Amino acid sequence: MLTITILSLAYLTAISFRIKRVKFPVLELLTWNIHIVFIILAALTLLLMINGYGFKGAQTDRVILTLYAASGLFLYGLSKPEINARYYYLAGLFAFPFVLLVGIILPFTRMFTIMVALSLYGDSDYHRYKIDDDFALETKSTGILTQYPVYSMVEDKYWLFEKVTPEVINPKAFPRAIKLTKRGNDSVRIQFISSKGGTFNLDTIMSLKQGYLQ
């Protein structure tokens, strides 16, 4: 609920500023500087995601994108109506949820819009299971969008970044717990503990160079 909470507070603040016609040039300039920083971070985040990388931490990328949008909404509340690209850009950020609302109302775009809205505003449930100092197994569940968790291999990379390789295994199970036991330099034993207390084992070989299970 972190994403929707932050964005909801940003929306309410922006609406309040617009109603009261708040004029605070110093705060607006400071927020613009902060927003520009988040624009750069958001662009870098998207570029990394396209190439299978991300900032360290399961939710770091989502937090960056959320704060980017939230700072834009905050700026929209502080900005006065003008005919320029900056104002239309901020207005577009503010209007985007209303576009989704229209898409939900229209029958032929409803399903697609719901999936987009859940992906953008719904927080996924992440769990990471450490293998060693460089590798971890991550499970990701996104509400009704995933019947089973997506199992990804997370590899520590380049100080601030990590490489995420999704769907390294596909057991089609929603385990209560996972136990990892490293065997040698390139092998890990994965033990799934089911919700009913039973277990089933999966022995795999991990390629440390490529960061996925074979």
Side-chain angles (χ1 to χ4, degrees), residues 39-182:
I39 288 177
I40 296 171
L41 289 175
L44 180 58
T45 296
L46 293 175
L47 182 62
L48 289 170
M49 290 173 63
I50 291 173
N51 292 279
Y53 286 80
F55 288 99
K56 284 187 178 179
Q59 296 278 21
T60 305
D61 293 340
R62 175 170 285 274
V63 169
I64 289 173
L65 296 174
T66 300
L67 292 178
Y68 153 73
S71 60
L73 297 174
F74 193 82
L75 267 176
Y76 177 75
L78 289 172
S79 301
K80 62 180 181 180
E82 295 177 308
I83 302 177
N84 57 39
R86 280 197 316 179
Y87 183 76
Y88 288 135
Y89 159 73
L90 295 175
L93 285 178
F94 186 83
F96 183 73
F98 298 99
V99 175
L100 291 179
L101 181 61
V102 172
I104 292 175
I105 294 174
L106 298 176
F108 54 89
T109 60
R110 183 174 300 156
M111 185 59 64
F112 174 75
T113 306
I114 290 174
M115 293 180 64
V116 171
L118 288 175
S119 299
L120 292 176
Y121 296 105
D123 292 326
S124 300
D125 184 20
Y126 292 90
H127 291 283
R128 288 192 173 183
Y129 304 88
K130 183 177 179 180
I131 297 174
D132 58 22
D133 292 336
D134 295 321
F135 289 89
L137 183 69
E138 176 185 272
T139 62
K140 174 185 175 183
S141 303
T142 311
I144 62 174
L145 296 180
T146 52
Q147 182 178 3
Y148 300 109
V150 176
Y151 296 85
S152 303
M153 182 58 57
V154 180
E155 182 181 357
D156 193 355
K157 287 280 191 178
Y158 314 123
W159 190 40
L160 289 177
F161 308 109
E162 60 189 20
K163 179 175 176 59
V164 180
T165 306
E167 299 182 354
V168 290
I169 52 176
N170 190 23
K172 295 193 180 301
F174 214 126
R176 180 169 56 86
I178 297 175
K179 181 181 179 181
L180 301 174
T181 306
K182 191 174 181 183

